[in-house]
Amino acid sequence: MNELIFVISFFNDLPSRFASQRLLSNEEYNAFFRHCYYPINGRKGVDIASFSIENKDIRNIISANSRIHSQVRPETIQGRLRRLREYSEWLFNHFHHDYLVGEQLQNKFDTLISRMKLCEEGFGKNFSLAVKRINESVIPNDKFLELLEMILPSSSKNPFKSSKIRNYLIVSLLIQSGIRRGALAKLKISDCHFYGTFDEIEIYRSGYDKTDTRNYMPNQKTKSHLAVVDPELLKQIKFYINHIRLNFERSSYHDFIFVSEKNSRNTSGNPLSLKSVNAIFLRLSKALSFRIHPHMLRHKWNEIFDEKGRSSGMDSRLIEDVRKYAMGWSANSSMGQVYNEKRLFEQVREVSKAHQERVNKQ
């Protein structure tokens, strides 16, 4: 409740704005983002004007440290950002759910929500207020390799006592395709191309589905597209459908690929919930001693794609066009900017290194 009050006190006209299709601008969101760092009373540090200190360096140190110590906990910042996103999603669905909105408005809203989620994910118990290096990977390579080995059903490090094959397929699909958690949870058998090249999966938006019994129905928020995976993975998914999924009676009532395999609440065979997908990653996080969640694999996909694209000599503009299609982003989306900045940083470092070597030789 306090977080919602915090949001409403900053944006007191959100309902009327969403009703009239006026979404938040980047400048407004940036202002709210900065505001989230501070207590409700709005104090942003010690007023050094009240101190009689002549040394400018000392005044600067006091000012900088007072701002840091007046900031709230990272979990509080994360909660405020999450509440704005959830409130925005509720308002958009409330005013526009029963109406067909234009593609431009939908893309603008999707971009806003995606940005909010990216900011959210940057905070948590392990968050540091120190500046993070732009070239740091969202998942360090050693942890990523450990994850790849851990999820194998045959691995001695696999943390699951049951559902090993299903969980392996879920994590592998996210790694190989870069799709969102919601898109994965709503995948149907009919979405998989078990023919031809045997490597395509249809990702698309969908409306109300009467066969979906979940309280929180997952959905694909970005543009429809085909995701490409290793043919071997698609064969493994087909094996799961034909030899494991069909053992659960309720699975015959729907077409969703991944189902609950536990019957603690009489849910075996029902479509797998988003909460259960999160639980898989919580278990993996404990085993890895590193916090990992589904959306991080989407970022990791982009990092790997960027590296492979550059190493193959692919033109940077083509890399971005392919990335936008694979992620389901619109042609004018700016979501790929973070990866462009990483690439620019690498180029700056290479140029700087060459310059330093030349100076050292003189």
Side-chain angles (χ1 to χ4, degrees), residues 307-325:
E307 291 173 4
K308 290 184 176 179
R310 284 187 294 163
S311 63
S312 65
M314 188 184 297
D315 181 78
S316 60
R317 289 171 295 184
L318 180 58
I319 288 178
E320 290 315 302
D321 288 341
V322 174
R323 187 202 307 278
K324 287 177 181 178
Y325 175 83

Side-chain angles (χ1 to χ4, degrees), residues 207-241:
Y208 175 74
D209 189 335
K210 62 181 181 180
T211 67
D212 195 340
T213 57
R214 289 169 284 198
N215 292 328
Y216 298 98
M217 296 184 185
N219 200 4
Q220 162 65 8
K221 295 184 177 182
T222 48
K223 290 176 61 178
S224 301
H225 63 282
L226 286 175
V228 179
V229 299
D230 191 302
E232 186 60 34
L233 178 59
L234 212 55
K235 291 177 183 177
Q236 292 169 346
I237 292 174
K238 188 174 183 180
F239 176 88
Y240 167 79
I241 294 169

Side-chain angles (χ1 to χ4, degrees), residues 188-285:
K188 293 188 173 184
I189 298 173
S190 54
D191 297 333
C192 298
H193 291 189
F194 296 123
Y195 53 83
T197 54
F198 226 88
D199 62 355
E200 297 175 350
I201 300 176
E202 295 181 21
I203 308 297
Y204 53 89
R205 293 175 179 171
S206 61
Y208 175 74
D209 189 335
K210 62 181 181 180
T211 67
D212 195 340
T213 57
R214 289 169 284 198
N215 292 328
Y216 298 98
M217 296 184 185
N219 200 4
Q220 162 65 8
K221 295 184 177 182
T222 48
K223 290 176 61 178
S224 301
H225 63 282
L226 286 175
V228 179
V229 299
D230 191 302
E232 186 60 34
L233 178 59
L234 212 55
K235 291 177 183 177
Q236 292 169 346
I237 292 174
K238 188 174 183 180
F239 176 88
Y240 167 79
I241 294 169
N242 294 337
H243 298 280
I244 298 178
R245 182 183 181 277
L246 57 73
N247 292 322
F248 301 94
E249 184 179 350
R250 292 192 189 87
S251 68
S252 62
Y253 301 149
H254 61 86
D255 195 33
F256 296 101
I257 294 177
F258 298 111
V259 301
S260 174
E261 297 184 6
K262 291 184 177 180
N263 204 33
S264 57
R265 296 185 179 180
N266 200 32
T267 58
S268 63
N270 287 345
L272 192 67
S273 68
L274 294 174
K275 184 178 180 180
S276 295
V277 176
N278 289 341
I280 292 172
F281 281 85
L282 283 175
R283 180 72 66 84
L284 288 170
S285 296

Side-chain angles (χ1 to χ4, degrees), residues 7 25 31 70 96 99 123 127 147 223 242 257 301 340-341:
V7 170
S25 67
S70 68
H96 307 297
Y99 302 94
F123 294 91
F127 172 78
L147 173 65
K223 290 176 61 178
N242 294 337
I257 294 177
W301 183 95
N340 293 336
E341 290 176 355

Side-chain angles (χ1 to χ4, degrees), residues 50-222:
S50 61
F51 290 85
S52 178
I53 301 176
E54 296 183 359
N55 189 297
K56 183 179 179 182
D57 292 335
I58 295 178
R59 291 204 310 271
N60 290 340
I61 292 172
I62 292 175
S63 177
N65 279 278
S66 67
R67 285 196 298 271
I68 292 176
H69 288 297
S70 68
Q71 294 172 355
V72 298
R73 293 172 60 84
E75 294 90 336
T76 302
I77 300 171
Q78 185 184 53
R80 291 169 175 177
L81 294 173
R82 182 188 299 116
R83 193 65 62 229
L84 174 61
R85 174 181 60 80
E86 292 175 344
Y87 188 40
S88 298
E89 289 177 320
W90 184 87
L91 288 172
F92 191 83
N93 290 329
H94 175 73
F95 289 112
H96 307 297
H97 177 71
D98 296 328
Y99 302 94
L100 290 175
V101 298
E103 183 176 357
Q104 184 176 1
L105 176 63
Q106 186 67 56
N107 287 339
K108 186 176 180 181
F109 177 72
D110 290 343
T111 300
L112 175 63
I113 295 300
S114 295
R115 184 183 179 193
M116 288 179 173
K117 286 183 177 179
L118 284 173
C119 292
E120 252 179 73
E121 291 161 4
F123 294 91
K125 292 183 179 180
N126 297 324
F127 172 78
S128 170
L129 292 174
V131 176
K132 188 174 182 179
R133 294 178 60 187
I134 193 172
N135 62 325
E136 285 185 0
S137 175
V138 64
I139 305 175
N141 289 335
D142 60 334
K143 289 295 181 181
F144 185 63
L145 292 175
E146 188 178 349
L147 173 65
L148 293 178
E149 195 277 331
M150 180 181 292
I151 61 173
L152 292 173
S154 60
S155 173
S156 60
K157 296 181 180 180
N158 192 300
F160 304 104
K161 294 181 179 179
S162 60
S163 305
K164 290 185 177 183
I165 293 179
R166 184 202 65 187
N167 296 346
Y168 160 76
L169 294 175
I170 286 173
V171 178
S172 297
L173 257 178
L174 292 172
I175 290 173
Q176 290 195 22
S177 66
I179 61 175
R180 298 176 182 273
R181 179 193 61 164
L184 177 135
K186 69 174 285 294
L187 279 180
K188 293 188 173 184
I189 298 173
S190 54
D191 297 333
C192 298
H193 291 189
F194 296 123
Y195 53 83
T197 54
F198 226 88
D199 62 355
E200 297 175 350
I201 300 176
E202 295 181 21
I203 308 297
Y204 53 89
R205 293 175 179 171
S206 61
Y208 175 74
D209 189 335
K210 62 181 181 180
T211 67
D212 195 340
T213 57
R214 289 169 284 198
N215 292 328
Y216 298 98
M217 296 184 185
N219 200 4
Q220 162 65 8
K221 295 184 177 182
T222 48

